[in-house]
Amino acid sequence: MNRVPTSFLIGAALSVVFVAAAALSFLWTPHDVTSLVIANRLQPAGGDFVLGTDQFGRDLLSMLMVGARTSIAVALVAVGIGITLGVPLGLAAAAARGSLLDEVIMRGNDLIFAFPSLVIAILITAVYGPSATNAIIAIGIFNIPVFARVARGGALSLWTLDYVLAARTAGKGRLRISAEHILPNIANLLIVQATIQFSLGVLAEAALSYVGLGAQPPLPSWGRMLSDAQTMIYSHPMLAILPGMAIVMMVLGLNLMGDGLRDMLDPRLRRRRQ
Amino acid sequence: MIRVDRLSLAIHGTPILRDVSLSIPKGQIFGLVGESGSGKSMTALSLMQLLPAGAKATGHALLDDTDLLTRTEAQMCGLRGNDLGMIFQEPMTALNPVQTIGDQVAETLLIHGESSRAAARKIARDRLDRVGLQHVAMDRYPHELSGGQRQRVCIAAAVALSPRLLIADEPTTALDVTTQAQILDLLRDLVARDGMSLLLITHDLAVVANMADHVAVMQRGEIVEQGPTADVLRLQRHPYTRGLFAASAHQPDRVTTPRPDVLLSVENVIRTYPGPRTGFTRAAPIAAVDDVSFQLHKGESLGLVGESGCGKSTLTRAILGLDPIQSGAISAFGHPVTPQMPNTVRAGIQVVFQDPYGSFNPRWRVEKLVAEPFHLLPERPRDARDRVADALAAVGLSADDMHKYPHEFSGGQRQRIAIARALITHPRILVLDEAVSALDVSIRAQILDLLADLQNRLHLSYLFISHDLTVVRSITDRVLVMQAGKIVEQGETEQVFTAPAHPYTQSLLAAAPSLDTIMERSDATLV
């Protein structure tokens, strides 16, 4: 009986590879990514440098490993911001459906949605200067309304169910019902959304770094590796292909994992498969 | 005519139907009765070839000379809508909410060769007239119609091309009794006029008794008995048929000892909802419960009947202290009932809901579910687990069941768990909101017995809310009849049922299909 979906296995395997590489980079990388040795510039793959070097003589494999760390850290914290702020807001809006609070929360969400994330990121960096931290904040802010909406939508349909009425006749308040009955039953929606937002966070970090608003040198990032490779793309295409493939594989892995997770977490789907 | 010969069906290797054989002559109504899971709907879907993936049907299903089981999907598309029409239980979900009713009826005609849109719409208008929607415009959307009107639209679309066989799968189960009577009349009339065959699938013996020429009783994928309706229902040769009959007319054993003490008193209660938005202003508020007064005594079982939308549920929610009321007063055990009432009062009024599937958090085990109302007590009792076990025992489940999840139980067992949860705080009033409406007749009889037994032992007072008059009659001492937010009649149950005073009560009783009439009629015909 194939109880774990194949898509989840593939996605999880890809994700684990990147997370392991990122974790390993804290302890060890094949070469130092901060030292520029011009003598080693543009080495081909193989030999001392497994994937070759860039135009400054940095080892590409080491850069990809540390870049994975940057991507994961930025996306993880940004999704964390979105969940910790967005989910309670969405639950509160659903619990107080139709009230002023609901309107304020949801119209506030609309306001954030109305601005393109890149514009806000440029605004933040214009005020506070470009850095990985500011990229995290900019991406995180845009995750809040996404999670608030998913949480509210899922919660609204649950609030009409009899078991919520039963909990109310058991004297439980809205806060308690939200925590005990609503949140666990929308958890699968949130987990799936989190993996999607995580992959979007990886993309957003790469985009911000590409235009120079994300991680700053010397900290390597996949987005900046792409922009550095821009001028060399005809002579040394691997410089662009490698970080590009890293981004694609990571996003694909996360999406596949999210898909598989949904299949596994939904008890109704689980029962149907058995 | 249609002739089904030894139809068997398996889905992914699991046998669903075994050797189902039946035949429906032209212009006749064939009733297929049975409890949920007996294979009634699967029989119908086999004829339509609308089976789920992995299904394998064997045998023959001959519509005149065509074997439906050997047709390809493309050939079936030509037959469906043309020679085979089907009506489903839930008219809201059977219609497309973003298409006008005229277009939906015309669609069938266009697919099956009507050349122009204008001509199709003209015929569609005629079909809508025939199903009694003369005064409803073609450009209405489904949500603008009542449940009964929607079902009429479904029928109009199904009979648009005068099919040879019409399949109606629980066509009136989602409808009120007065609407049900009208829809059944319409179907009977269409069959008589067009000479089509009607396969009527229902769980309700009284419906087939009054409709069908022939009836087949299904149990676990097999037809256990079939024949002319009067014979089958009167002779009841098969034990399962006898069981169904006994369960339908089941009378739980009750010792009624209502005492004069008033436990719950409802005085001139008005509950309004804000009117619909009209631009920037709102229309006048709508009174869902309008000046309702009654009292519930200790040990009494009080029925509340009325059709959907009459305000039963709104009143229930007010009595449970879930929603505020705009005027009047509700008091229980001498305390006012409001959303802010203290937990000690709340613990005295507990509720059992209709849907045995939506009543439980699917992620909790039974122990936690049943123990939830302990939240109402000042502190969680130390013997909580023993009390859960006792409550489960009281409703006929075992103590080991507390470690299971709700999806591991059947509908009837879940309703027992819901009753256990309601009883855990030893309430004095139990509100039963359509508590047996979603159950099969045999399960319903068991739950009614359980309720009667609990009342005898624990001296509970019941507020029994239902649209099902037979059930209310079997379990209540007094009954309230509600229409459009008002109580139009109240009195002793037997008296209200035998000599209804209000015209609305009379029409409800007249519309309810009854098994008694067919028995009398068949007495006459058999002689």
Side-chain angles (χ1 to χ4, degrees):
Chain A
M1 178 91 56
N2 180 19
R3 300 220 0 221
V4 179
T6 321
S7 62
F8 175 79
L9 290 177
I10 297 172
L14 279 171
S15 307
V16 164
V17 167
F18 283 106
V19 171
L24 184 63
S25 75
F26 282 103
L27 303 171
W28 172 83
T29 51
H31 296 270
D32 184 6
V33 293
T34 50
S35 65
L36 309 181
V37 184
I38 301 301
N40 288 338
R41 69 191 294 265
L42 298 171
Q43 294 284 327
D48 196 17
F49 302 96
V50 178
L51 295 175
T53 59
D54 69 359
Q55 65 267 47
F56 304 111
R58 290 176 296 187
D59 176 41
L60 279 176
L61 178 62
S62 307
M63 301 239 326
L64 286 176
M65 283 168 68
V66 182
R69 188 211 292 175
T70 314
S71 279
I72 291 171
V74 170
L76 198 64
V77 178
V79 169
I81 292 174
I83 290 180
T84 45
L85 294 177
V87 172
L89 283 174
L91 288 175
R97 183 187 187 175
S99 71
L100 186 65
L101 179 70
D102 184 17
E103 288 290 324
V104 169
I105 291 173
M106 294 324 286
R107 297 300 79 77
N109 274 337
D110 292 346
L111 194 70
I112 297 179
F113 259 136
F115 291 95
S117 56
L118 209 59
V119 175
I120 295 293
I122 292 168
L123 182 75
I124 290 175
T125 46
V127 178
Y128 298 103
S131 73
T133 317
N134 289 338
I136 290 174
I137 294 172
I139 301 166
I141 287 175
F142 287 94
N143 277 329
I144 295 172
V146 174
F147 283 103
R149 284 190 177 183
V150 170
R152 181 176 180 269
L156 278 185
S157 59
L158 292 180
W159 272 102
T160 62
L161 291 184
D162 284 347
Y163 66 78
V164 171
L165 276 184
R168 289 181 65 198
T169 59
K172 289 184 173 170
R174 289 174 182 276
L175 187 65
R176 208 184 170 95
I177 291 174
S178 292
E180 288 186 357
H181 288 293
I182 308 286
L183 187 57
N185 281 298
I186 59 168
N188 50 7
L189 288 179
L190 295 175
I191 288 169
V192 173
Q193 192 65 42
T195 51
I196 293 167
Q197 292 307 116
F198 198 99
S199 64
L200 289 178
V202 169
L203 278 178
E205 188 275 335
L208 287 176
S209 296
Y210 180 82
V211 295
L213 299 174
Q216 294 302 300
L219 185 65
S221 130
W222 293 344
R224 236 194 27 267
M225 287 171 76
L226 273 179
S227 73
D228 286 347
Q230 206 163 234
T231 51
M232 322 282 289
I233 195 150
Y234 291 111
S235 55
H236 296 87
M238 284 312 275
L239 292 185
I241 289 171
L242 285 173
M245 283 303 285
I247 294 170
V248 167
M249 285 299 150
M250 176 113 190
V251 170
L252 182 70
L254 287 166
N255 281 337
L256 284 175
M257 194 167 78
D259 223 34
L261 268 178
R262 184 184 46 215
D263 289 356
M264 291 198 304
L265 290 175
D266 192 324
R268 280 158 299 179
L269 290 175
R270 190 167 53 202
R271 205 152 25 110
R272 209 174 302 155
R273 257 205 322 279
Q274 277 172 0
Chain B
M1 70 175 278
I2 177 124
R3 198 162 59 80
V4 177
D5 187 24
R6 280 172 289 129
L7 169 70
S8 294
L9 176 71
I11 299 178
H12 292 300
T14 314
I16 306 291
L17 299 175
R18 269 185 304 274
D19 288 338
V20 171
S21 299
L22 52 88
S23 69
I24 314 173
K26 199 168 143 52
Q28 294 227 333
I29 301 176
F30 190 95
L32 197 53
V33 289
E35 298 191 297
S36 46
S38 62
K40 308 182 298 275
S41 294
M42 279 299 163
T43 307
L45 293 177
S46 302
L47 299 184
M48 295 293 281
Q49 288 289 295
L50 291 173
L51 291 164
K56 197 170 162 359
T58 55
H60 303 283
L62 299 165
L63 178 68
D64 295 327
D65 316 316
T66 334
D67 190 346
L68 298 174
L69 298 187
T70 59
R71 297 297 103 175
T72 62
E73 176 62 21
Q75 288 170 321
M76 281 309 294
C77 284
L79 288 172
R80 290 184 205 124
N82 214 349
D83 293 318
L84 298 166
M86 186 152 180
I87 313 163
F88 299 91
Q89 172 173 345
E90 184 46 74
M92 189 66 231
T93 48
L95 293 171
N96 181 344
V98 296
Q99 236 184 9
T100 64
I101 58 167
D103 285 346
Q104 295 192 51
V105 178
E107 188 185 20
T108 319
L109 298 157
L110 283 168
I111 290 170
H112 291 287
E114 189 55 56
S115 51
S116 81
R117 195 166 182 78
R121 283 184 64 90
K122 197 158 166 289
I123 302 172
R125 179 70 263 176
D126 172 65
R127 297 297 185 268
L128 286 171
D129 292 348
R130 274 184 59 193
V131 297
L133 295 174
Q134 295 89 342
H135 304 295
V136 178
M138 301 263 283
D139 54 3
R140 291 297 195 86
Y141 287 91
H143 72 266
E144 298 177 291
L145 308 181
S146 68
Q149 287 175 321
R150 281 180 211 142
Q151 195 61 295
R152 283 173 193 268
V153 174
C154 292
I155 295 173
V159 302
L161 286 161
S162 306
R164 286 183 275 171
L165 173 68
L166 180 63
I167 301 173
D169 190 355
E170 303 272 7
T172 56
T173 306
L175 305 174
D176 287 322
V177 295
T178 47
T179 320
Q180 161 167 300
Q182 293 161 9
I183 295 292
L184 293 178
D185 279 345
L186 170 65
L187 286 174
R188 203 183 285 129
D189 188 46
L190 286 171
V191 169
R193 262 198 295 171
D194 287 14
M196 64 177 119
S197 313
L198 173 63
L199 177 61
L200 178 68
I201 295 169
T202 179
H203 68 282
D204 191 335
L205 284 174
V207 168
V208 277
N210 291 290
M211 286 286 288
D213 303 296
H214 278 70
V215 64
V217 182
M218 277 194 96
Q219 181 193 21
R220 284 189 236 110
E222 283 177 283
I223 291 183
V224 295
E225 181 174 9
Q226 64 175 313
T229 306
D231 280 3
V232 170
L233 298 189
R234 230 175 76 79
L235 303 176
Q236 299 174 20
R237 277 172 294 239
H238 195 276
Y240 182 70
T241 316
R242 271 199 297 284
L244 272 185
F245 241 87
S248 301
H250 184 70
Q251 181 65 48
D253 196 10
R254 298 181 62 232
V255 186
T256 50
T257 49
R259 290 166 216 178
D261 340 8
V262 172
L263 284 191
L264 177 77
S265 143
V266 174
E267 282 166 48
N268 306 106
V269 164
I270 296 177
R271 168 84 171 106
T272 59
Y273 287 114
R277 273 184 192 161
T278 52
F280 287 104
T281 57
R282 277 186 181 277
I286 298 155
V289 174
D290 193 0
D291 198 17
V292 165
S293 303
F294 66 88
Q295 290 181 330
L296 175 65
H297 301 99
K298 189 172 178 191
E300 182 184 40
S301 182
L302 178 65
L304 176 61
V305 297
E307 298 190 295
S308 50
C310 74
K312 298 190 301 274
S313 301
T314 308
L315 181 60
T316 314
R317 293 167 66 97
I319 289 169
L320 291 169
L322 295 178
D323 288 346
I325 52 176
Q326 273 67 44
S327 161
I330 304 176
S331 69
F333 333 114
H335 297 277
V337 170
T338 64
Q340 292 79 34
M341 68 183 172
N343 282 346
T344 46
V345 181
R346 217 175 259 285
I349 315 176
Q350 288 293 302
V351 62
V352 178
F353 295 106
Q354 170 175 3
D355 181 8
Y357 293 88
S359 293
F360 304 105
N361 185 339
R363 292 172 187 279
W364 283 13
R365 290 179 197 273
V366 168
E367 179 179 5
K368 199 171 174 187
L369 291 168
V370 172
E372 187 169 34
F374 282 145
H375 184 73
L376 292 165
L377 306 181
E379 62 181 37
R380 193 182 165 84
R382 253 173 295 161
D383 60 343
R385 176 167 280 213
D386 294 336
R387 284 178 62 176
V388 170
D390 289 347
L392 288 175
V395 297
L397 294 172
S398 90
D400 292 338
D401 287 334
M402 71 168 83
H403 307 298
K404 294 184 186 164
Y405 285 100
H407 71 251
E408 297 174 57
F409 295 90
S410 69
Q413 287 174 319
R414 287 184 200 209
Q415 214 58 332
R416 287 173 189 268
I417 298 171
I419 295 170
R421 171 172 66 187
L423 292 177
I424 196 91
T425 55
H426 303 309
R428 287 190 275 171
I429 301 174
L430 203 54
V431 177
L432 300 154
D433 187 0
E434 301 275 8
V436 297
S437 303
L439 304 176
D440 279 324
V441 282
S442 55
I443 309 295
R444 188 176 75 190
Q446 292 168 13
I447 297 290
L448 289 175
D449 278 341
L450 171 66
L451 290 172
D453 175 51
L454 288 170
Q455 187 168 42
N456 296 347
R457 282 194 285 141
L458 308 174
H459 307 294
L460 293 166
S461 302
Y462 289 155
L463 179 60
F464 197 97
I465 297 143
S466 181
H467 70 279
D468 188 329
L469 300 169
T470 328
V471 170
V472 169
R473 188 172 190 172
S474 70
I475 194 139
T476 62
D477 306 308
R478 275 195 312 134
V479 66
L480 310 167
V481 182
M482 197 165 180
Q483 183 194 20
K486 289 182 192 296
I487 303 285
V488 295
E489 181 165 359
Q490 57 177 308
E492 301 289 323
T493 303
E494 267 321 298
Q495 192 178 347
V496 171
F497 275 76
T498 47
H502 193 274
Y504 179 68
T505 318
Q506 291 163 358
S507 71
L508 274 186
L509 287 170
S514 149
L515 281 171
D516 304 340
T517 50
I518 182 79
M519 297 332 259
E520 286 157 21
R521 211 189 312 156
S522 56
D523 280 342
T525 48
L526 280 178
V527 169

